[in-house]
Amino acid sequence: FRSDVKMNVCALVLALVLAVCAARSPYQAVLQHSRIRGRQQGPNVCAMQQIIGSDKKYFTNCKQWYHRKICGKPTMTTYECCPGYERIPGEKGCPAALPLMNIYNTLGGVGATTTQLYSDRAKLRDEIEGPGSFTFFAPSDKAWAALPTEILDALVSNVNIELLNALHYHMVNRRLTSEELRHGSSFASMYQGFHVHIHHYSNGVVTVNCGRLIKPDQHATNGIVHVVDRVITAISNNVQTLIDVEDDLETLRTAIAAAGLTTMLENEGQYTIFAPTNEAFEKIPPETLNRILADPVALRDLLNYHILKQMQCAESIVSGTPMETLQGTTLEVGCDGDQMTLNGKAIITKKDQLGTNGVVHYINELFYNVFTSPCVYRLFLMSYLSVCPTGSLTMTPDMKKLMANHILKEQMSSKSLYHGQELETVGGLKLRVFVYRNNLCIENACIAAHDKTGRFGSMFTVDSVLTPPMGTIMDVLKADDRFSLLVGAIQTAGMTELLNQQGALTFFAPTNDAFNALPKAELNKLMHVLRYHLGEGLLVSGGLGSHTRLKCLQGDKLELGLRNYTVYVNKVPVAATDLMATNGVVHAVHSIIKPLRESRRFQELQER
């Protein structure tokens, strides 16, 4: 009986612990992780990840801790007192709680001395020293320094009105901790009731009006201070209005109206719009652009591919993440240093133009497919041949052949597809289906959106042009001049039969550049390691997860990952992916792949 009671008590305690953990915000979870990583340095020490060559710091999460990278840039681990604590000379860690002071004095101790100075000038000091309970989103010293000179001059030259209004917009007339700053919430500021807008992200980043909270929860006797990395400005317009008043978005404005999306962008929501500028539209061939603009359905698909379902500020991005668009497909939103990227491209020219219902980022390149027409916008794998209106698209013989191999002979649902299945196209080719943990692919093309089913057929949106296999792995290598040295090495090593026989192999094939970069001594040993470049099973790039392992024919497993749309194998970037063969797939690499000396588990143990 006692054992049953103990088990029930343990189960109850576990349930309570899980409930508490589940209730924590992502920020609190990351802060706790930073505390755990910093505890060897003493009590109340948090581990931070600082981008090397920059002063940008982040409370560390698991991914940052092990990868040691943020926005593709290397980081170093630093240690500092967790919020609310300070060091005592001669003692380890941060054992002392910070003495509570009023907001004005707190500003001076948390890296917001410029905000403190401007509070003095604007006659705000008495208010934030006196009675009350306030939340102050205080710009850091660097945030003020980053303001354009003309804006800063306009503020400080009219301290009684402009500067005071600006500071009041950073204040809320109540105490709000980071836990109370809920995702998607907004609070009336002390400047004419204009709201400030809060967003929590799964990586622990918290933003106010797209400014990142870099030192949250600095408690004071009369409120709380959250240090932010920018000076925020009042917003009152929705994203449609932002687009309406911007000359550089004139073509986009016309397209939105023609597609019938204006009302949606005027209503409530949390949108992220990657807004193509006039320059972006001008890069499209005029005849293609005219066909798109003349078809509201194709145009709506095109524009919806540039709109995310959730609001994503630039400061929330610390690595590449696939995000769903309104069109149902995904865009990889990432970063490279200070630059925000889309599908690995640094094409964003202006970030974080905030509206009441979302955020706009300007881009100078439009995302569209070369097969865009009134009848086909994205490249669809179709199960019934639909006919475009006469004259809407000039089809060359090569294009007709290509399209015929994107059309199946029967109508199907993607949910009925299974691994190893063969599909026959109207062009007479057989296509293979590959089911991965995170994706469903037909040859090299993976399904990127939900099925669209019509009266006579279904359409699958795929993420790339489908290339059917045209021979064995050996045939693929022989047909590509980049692999001429590899072909000779394979023949010398007696591997030709292996690469011609039936099967399912993944070959990370060294190019001539890889051979030419090797010293002669290592070149002689290469014959023995070619099998290490061969993986068991057929893995296309779309089947990769964040950490994918592939068993190779000889040696340890290969470790694969995807960052900013580049595939890496044992930390070697893959130069070209998805060269499809009847018995496998070839991925080209410009370097010889070497076994990783230490497993990830061993690295984790070392770091602990």
Side-chain angles (χ1 to χ4, degrees):
F1 174 74
R2 287 183 178 178
S3 63
D4 290 342
V5 171
K6 286 182 179 179
M7 289 179 64
N8 289 335
V9 171
C10 288
L12 179 59
V13 170
L14 178 60
L16 289 172
V17 169
L18 290 174
V20 170
C21 290
R24 290 187 308 173
S25 68
Y27 163 71
Q28 289 295 334
V30 170
L31 180 61
Q32 181 62 21
H33 185 274
S34 291
R35 283 179 173 274
I36 292 171
R37 293 296 177 189
R39 62 189 173 190
Q40 290 185 351
Q41 308 296 317
N44 305 312
V45 174
C46 282
M48 310 289 290
Q49 293 297 310
Q50 180 174 351
I51 299 176
I52 294 176
S54 163
D55 60 355
K56 295 186 77 168
K57 295 180 181 179
Y58 296 78
F59 291 108
T60 184
N61 60 28
C62 288
K63 187 173 183 180
Q64 293 163 1
W65 181 262
Y66 292 120
H67 287 190
R68 295 290 197 269
K69 283 191 176 181
I70 291 174
C71 286
K73 303 301 179 184
T75 64
M76 60 182 180
T77 303
T78 62
Y79 298 94
E80 59 184 52
C81 293
C82 296
Y85 295 91
E86 65 177 348
R87 299 185 183 276
I88 296 178
E91 295 194 28
K92 189 176 182 180
C94 305
L98 282 170
L100 282 180
M101 301 178 288
N102 59 51
I103 286 178
Y104 177 81
N105 289 323
T106 300
L107 291 173
V110 295
T113 53
T114 306
T115 301
Q116 187 185 49
L117 172 67
Y118 288 160
S119 297
D120 249 337
R121 290 188 183 179
K123 305 294 189 294
L124 183 63
R125 177 171 179 171
D126 289 346
E127 187 174 356
I128 58 177
E129 277 187 332
S133 185
F134 309 106
T135 297
F136 203 144
F137 298 103
S140 67
D141 294 342
K142 290 185 180 296
W144 286 106
L147 273 184
T149 304
E150 62 274 15
I151 295 177
L152 187 58
D153 288 346
L155 289 175
V156 298
S157 65
N158 192 353
V159 295
N160 293 329
I161 299 177
E162 297 296 339
L163 185 59
L164 180 62
N165 288 344
L167 291 171
H168 268 152
Y169 184 63
H170 288 76
M171 295 175 62
V172 175
N173 196 12
R174 53 186 280 207
R175 180 191 300 262
L176 294 167
T177 66
S178 61
E179 283 292 274
E180 295 167 298
L181 299 174
R182 303 292 185 188
H183 177 68
S185 61
S186 63
F187 301 93
S189 74
M190 294 176 64
Y191 169 57
Q192 297 183 6
F194 283 103
H195 280 64
V196 293
H197 300 265
I198 309 297
H199 289 88
H200 273 251
Y201 297 94
S202 60
N203 56 16
V205 170
V206 184
T207 62
V208 53
N209 285 25
C210 285
R212 181 168 67 94
L213 272 61
I214 55 177
K215 289 186 178 179
D217 294 331
Q218 307 295 323
H219 289 267
T221 55
N222 58 342
I224 195 165
V225 175
H226 304 288
V227 181
V228 295
D229 68 351
R230 71 181 64 178
V231 179
I232 62 175
T233 55
I235 58 172
S236 57
N237 295 322
N238 57 52
V239 291
Q240 179 60 46
T241 303
L242 294 180
I243 294 170
D244 284 342
V245 299
E246 178 55 68
D247 290 341
D248 204 24
L249 302 179
E250 183 179 356
T251 307
L252 175 63
R253 182 162 60 248
T254 302
I256 288 172
L261 295 176
T262 303
T263 302
M264 180 189 78
L265 298 181
E266 290 174 339
N267 291 336
E268 290 186 6
Q270 292 289 313
Y271 302 111
T272 300
I273 302 172
F274 295 106
T277 60
N278 297 339
E279 177 192 356
F281 280 100
E282 288 166 3
K283 291 179 180 179
I284 300 178
E287 64 278 7
T288 303
L289 179 60
N290 291 335
R291 285 201 301 269
I292 298 171
L293 294 176
D295 188 323
V297 176
L299 186 58
R300 191 177 304 115
D301 267 347
L302 173 65
L303 296 177
N304 280 340
Y305 186 55
H306 291 73
I307 304 175
L308 301 182
K309 290 184 174 181
Q310 71 271 26
M311 183 167 154
Q312 209 72 40
C313 296
E315 280 298 320
S316 69
I317 307 296
V318 295
S319 62
T321 306
M323 298 180 184
E324 189 173 1
T325 68
L326 291 186
Q327 200 240 354
T329 53
T330 58
L331 277 174
E332 184 184 83
V333 184
C335 51
D336 183 8
D338 290 332
Q339 292 186 305
M340 195 174 178
T341 62
L342 287 181
N343 289 356
K345 295 182 177 182
I347 60 172
I348 295 178
T349 58
K350 189 187 290 187
K351 300 181 288 190
D352 292 341
Q353 305 303 298
L354 196 63
T356 55
N357 59 344
V359 65
V360 180
H361 307 290
Y362 292 25
I363 59 175
N364 62 9
E365 184 176 313
L366 197 68
F367 283 98
Y368 81 107
N369 192 279
V370 294
F371 293 95
T372 301
S373 74
C375 169
V376 183
Y377 161 57
R378 300 287 296 161
L379 179 61
F380 288 111
L381 177 62
M382 298 182 294
S383 55
Y384 189 86
L385 181 59
S386 57
V387 181
C388 294
T390 302
S392 66
L393 181 64
T394 303
M395 297 287 281
T396 65
D398 285 344
M399 187 177 290
K400 287 180 181 179
K401 181 180 178 181
L402 180 64
M403 291 303 294
N405 288 325
H406 284 76
I407 303 169
L408 301 182
K409 285 188 172 180
E410 58 180 316
Q411 183 172 359
M412 306 185 74
S413 162
S414 63
K415 296 188 182 301
S416 68
L417 302 181
Y418 56 88
H419 189 73
Q421 184 178 9
E422 282 196 342
L423 310 173
E424 188 175 358
T425 72
V426 295
L429 290 183
K430 296 291 181 67
L431 305 176
R432 297 162 295 181
V433 177
F434 306 117
V435 178
Y436 300 104
R437 185 178 297 276
N438 63 325
N439 232 333
L440 173 63
C441 305
I442 302 168
E443 294 298 338
N444 62 301
C446 300
I447 293 177
H450 302 300
D451 298 5
K452 294 188 177 183
T453 304
R455 181 178 177 185
F456 300 110
S458 301
M459 297 188 292
F460 306 159
T461 304
V462 293
D463 60 4
S464 60
V465 177
L466 194 151
T467 54
M470 302 304 291
T472 66
I473 290 177
M474 201 63 191
D475 293 330
V476 170
L477 298 176
K478 286 180 177 179
D480 194 321
D481 291 340
R482 292 175 295 179
F483 303 117
S484 58
L485 296 178
L486 174 62
V487 169
I490 289 170
Q491 292 169 340
T492 302
M495 292 174 58
T496 305
E497 185 179 350
L498 172 65
L499 299 182
N500 273 327
Q501 68 187 20
Q502 288 186 350
L505 297 173
T506 299
F507 193 10
F508 294 95
T511 62
N512 293 344
D513 289 342
F515 279 83
N516 293 330
L518 280 178
K520 285 188 176 180
E522 291 189 31
L523 191 59
N524 293 332
K525 299 176 185 177
L526 181 61
M527 309 306 176
H528 304 290
V529 298
L530 280 179
R531 286 177 179 267
Y532 187 68
H533 288 69
L534 275 166
E536 294 183 5
L538 198 159
L539 180 64
V540 298
S541 60
L544 288 176
S546 56
H547 297 291
T548 301
R549 291 188 173 189
L550 185 66
K551 185 178 180 181
C552 51
L553 294 188
Q554 179 175 306
D556 203 355
K557 292 183 178 178
L558 297 168
E559 298 202 13
L560 297 100
L562 185 66
R563 187 173 72 249
N564 281 344
Y565 270 59
T566 299
V567 175
Y568 289 81
V569 52
N570 284 18
K571 299 183 179 179
V572 172
V574 175
T577 61
D578 301 334
L579 308 176
M580 305 305 295
T582 54
N583 59 343
V585 61
V586 175
H587 306 294
V589 291
H590 289 327
S591 302
I592 300 302
I593 299 168
K594 298 179 180 178
L596 296 177
R597 295 181 182 277
E598 300 168 337
S599 68
R600 184 177 291 109
R601 176 62 179 163
F602 183 63
Q603 288 176 328
E604 292 173 8
L605 290 173
Q606 278 192 319
E607 288 163 346
R608 290 177 183 174

